[in-house]
């Protein structure tokens, strides 16, 4: 990127993420992407609901799922959604250090969530022999929950890249939209998780 | 000089505004935690039949998602017509996909 005076003003405007055309385009582009993601996850949820009772000889969802771990994961992801709101609050007040701090906390909570998920899958595979291939339920479950976990993983890689790449740059009109798009994506991951814990885990426990 | 005075006034206004915004977001977070607890509590207690529990937890999930979209992702703010169109367009396609996959297999 060539050095552009207009991207580094003395004083940032109140909404630095929407001050440039590029920023507004990034914002719109991400929402467009989220609209598509909605359809992707709907197809996975539809598949899961259609196949969840086809358990073959394997364990059923009621035998498998444990609510305490899922609750812990839910709280971690929900809290990370709030911490990224804090990060964006500090971005709008042009406080780069506090923004980085809250983004860091967001990332750590996301990593905590992933560790729990890996533990959960490992527990199902080793203790129950419940794998991707053991039944239609298994395939649908790992595809849906795994796709969500993959989105979390991608989000964490995105966040770390953003934080490291911009660590010495400070906040300006060039990178403010980037942080904002990440935070929108991260909220969307939590939106998907709300449906995952309700439809997969809670409804799986009720039967 | 007058310019400076004006710009500080705007700053004070903006600061107040984002503080209020923050307060609303913290309240939505608290409500989301309450809904999460209620959903898990309903299922964990095991006292209610699935015909009661499933609609209730689905409604609570929808409310949580609305908080997430409208408060955390600012869809309630002005100049969010395009994002709303895109998301509701997505939701509409999602509903069709979902119906095709899930409802048809219940026949």
């Amino acid at each position: 990127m060539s050095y552009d005076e207009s991207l580094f003003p003395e004083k940032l405007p109140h909404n630095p993420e929407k001050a440039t055309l590029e920023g507004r385009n990034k914002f719109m582009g991400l929402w467009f992407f989220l609209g598509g993601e909605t359809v992707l996850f709907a197809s996975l949820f539809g598949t899961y609901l259609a196949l969840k009772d086809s358990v073959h000889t394997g364990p059923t969802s009621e035998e498998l799922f444990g609510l305490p771990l899922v609750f812990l994961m839910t709280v971690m992801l929900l809290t990370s959604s709030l911490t990224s709101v804090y990060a964006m609050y500090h971005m709008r007040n042009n406080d780069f250090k506090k923004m980085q701090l809250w983004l860091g906390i967001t990332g750590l909570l996301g990593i905590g969530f992933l560790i729990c998920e890996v533990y959960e899958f490992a527990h199902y595979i080793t203790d129950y022999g419940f794998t991707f291939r053991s039944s239609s339920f298994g395939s649908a479950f790992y595809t849906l929950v795994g796709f969500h976990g993959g989105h979390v993983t991608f989000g964490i890689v995105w966040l770390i890249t953003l934080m490291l790449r911009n660590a010495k740059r400070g906040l300006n009109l060039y990178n403010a939209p980037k942080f904002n798009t990440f935070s929108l994506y991260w909220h969307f991951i939590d939106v998907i998780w709300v449906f995952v814990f309700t439809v997969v885990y809670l409804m799986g426990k009720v039967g | 000089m007058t310019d400076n005075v004006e710009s500080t006034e705007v700053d004070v206004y903006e600061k107040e505004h984002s503080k209020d915004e923050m307060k609303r977001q913290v309240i939505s977070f608290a409500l989301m935690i309450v809904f999460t607890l209620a959903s898990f509590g309903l299922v964990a207690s095991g006292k209610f039949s699935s015909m009661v529990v499933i609609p209730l937890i689905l409604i609570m999930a929808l409310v949580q998602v609305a908080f997430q979209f409208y408060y955390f992702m600012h869809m309630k703010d002005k100049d969010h017509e395009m994002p709303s169109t895109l998301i509701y367009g997505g939701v509409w396609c999602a509903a069709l996909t979902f119906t095709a996959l899930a409802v048809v297999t219940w026949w």
Side-chain angles (χ1 to χ4, degrees):
Chain A
M1 187 196 72
S2 61
Y3 189 84
D4 183 350
E5 282 293 333
S6 66
L7 293 178
F8 306 96
E10 292 278 296
K11 189 171 166 293
L12 282 186
H14 180 63
N15 278 319
E17 77 278 12
K18 281 182 225 159
T20 61
L21 177 63
E22 188 182 333
R24 288 191 291 276
N25 285 342
K26 282 204 167 86
F27 173 78
M28 213 53 91
L30 192 95
W31 277 98
F32 193 31
F33 165 71
L34 294 185
E37 290 274 280
T38 314
V39 185
L40 167 76
F41 276 102
S43 67
L44 295 176
F45 274 108
T47 313
Y48 176 79
L49 281 181
L51 297 176
K52 74 182 169 67
D53 297 321
S54 315
V55 292
H56 191 49
T57 53
T60 65
S61 58
E62 270 164 301
E63 294 161 2
L64 216 51
F65 299 153
L67 290 184
L69 183 69
V70 179
F71 184 70
L72 177 68
M73 287 161 78
T74 305
V75 170
M76 278 203 270
L77 209 59
L78 190 58
T79 311
S80 81
S81 208
L82 181 75
T83 56
S84 77
V85 165
Y86 277 124
M88 290 308 103
Y89 172 75
H90 290 301
M91 180 193 79
R92 294 197 179 96
N93 288 341
N94 197 9
D95 192 336
F96 181 69
K97 277 197 177 140
K98 277 190 183 156
M99 184 194 74
Q100 288 279 68
L101 173 71
W102 284 106
L103 285 178
I105 296 172
T106 306
L108 287 178
L109 285 165
I111 290 169
F113 173 87
L114 268 187
I115 291 171
C116 289
E117 187 150 88
V118 169
Y119 166 78
E120 184 202 351
F121 285 3
H123 171 65
Y124 292 162
I125 292 166
T126 50
D127 298 345
Y128 290 90
F130 177 68
T131 67
F132 195 85
R133 301 199 305 166
S134 50
S135 62
S136 300
F137 166 54
S139 309
F141 171 79
Y142 283 114
T143 309
L144 171 59
V145 182
F147 244 88
H148 176 269
H151 275 74
V152 176
T153 314
F154 176 78
I156 288 168
V157 173
W158 182 2
L159 175 64
I160 292 172
T161 316
L162 263 185
M163 286 178 69
L164 291 181
R165 183 69 185 91
N166 293 295
K168 287 178 186 157
R169 280 175 170 167
L171 200 59
N172 54 49
L173 293 185
Y174 170 65
N175 59 25
K178 295 177 179 236
F179 289 112
N180 189 58
T181 13
F182 164 77
S183 103
L184 285 175
Y185 172 83
W186 194 255
H187 291 315
F188 187 75
I189 288 179
D190 194 40
V191 166
I192 299 297
W193 180 253
V194 169
F195 286 116
V196 172
F197 86 70
T198 305
V199 173
V200 175
Y201 294 100
L202 292 183
M203 277 169 62
K205 236 8 195 183
V206 173
Chain B
M1 196 60 212
T2 33
D3 274 346
N4 276 339
V5 173
E6 266 171 26
S7 70
T8 357
E9 273 174 359
V10 170
D11 272 355
V12 170
Y13 169 74
E14 296 284 12
K15 276 236 162 100
E16 272 309 300
H17 180 73
S18 48
K19 248 190 189 165
D20 281 350
E21 182 72 27
M22 198 67 238
K23 207 186 278 171
R24 279 194 286 272
Q25 282 167 329
V26 173
I27 292 170
S28 2
F29 175 75
L31 287 172
M32 279 152 82
I33 290 283
V34 168
F35 282 120
T36 306
L37 277 171
S39 296
F40 275 88
L42 262 181
V43 173
S45 73
K47 283 177 193 155
F48 307 95
S49 78
S50 59
M51 289 300 278
V52 181
V53 173
I54 290 177
L56 272 180
I57 58 177
L58 283 178
I59 290 169
M60 286 196 276
L62 283 177
V63 174
Q64 276 206 52
V65 164
F67 275 123
Q68 191 81 240
F69 272 126
Y70 281 91
Y71 286 91
F72 281 14
M73 295 167 85
H74 300 281
M75 234 165 77
K76 66 170 177 45
D77 292 2
K78 276 181 193 152
D79 71 27
H80 277 63
E81 293 83 8
M82 226 16 219
S84 306
T85 314
L86 291 169
I87 277 296
Y88 281 114
V91 168
W92 170 242
C93 294
L96 291 178
T97 315
F98 188 79
T99 313
L101 283 165
V103 179
V104 168
T105 55
W106 290 336
W107 237 250

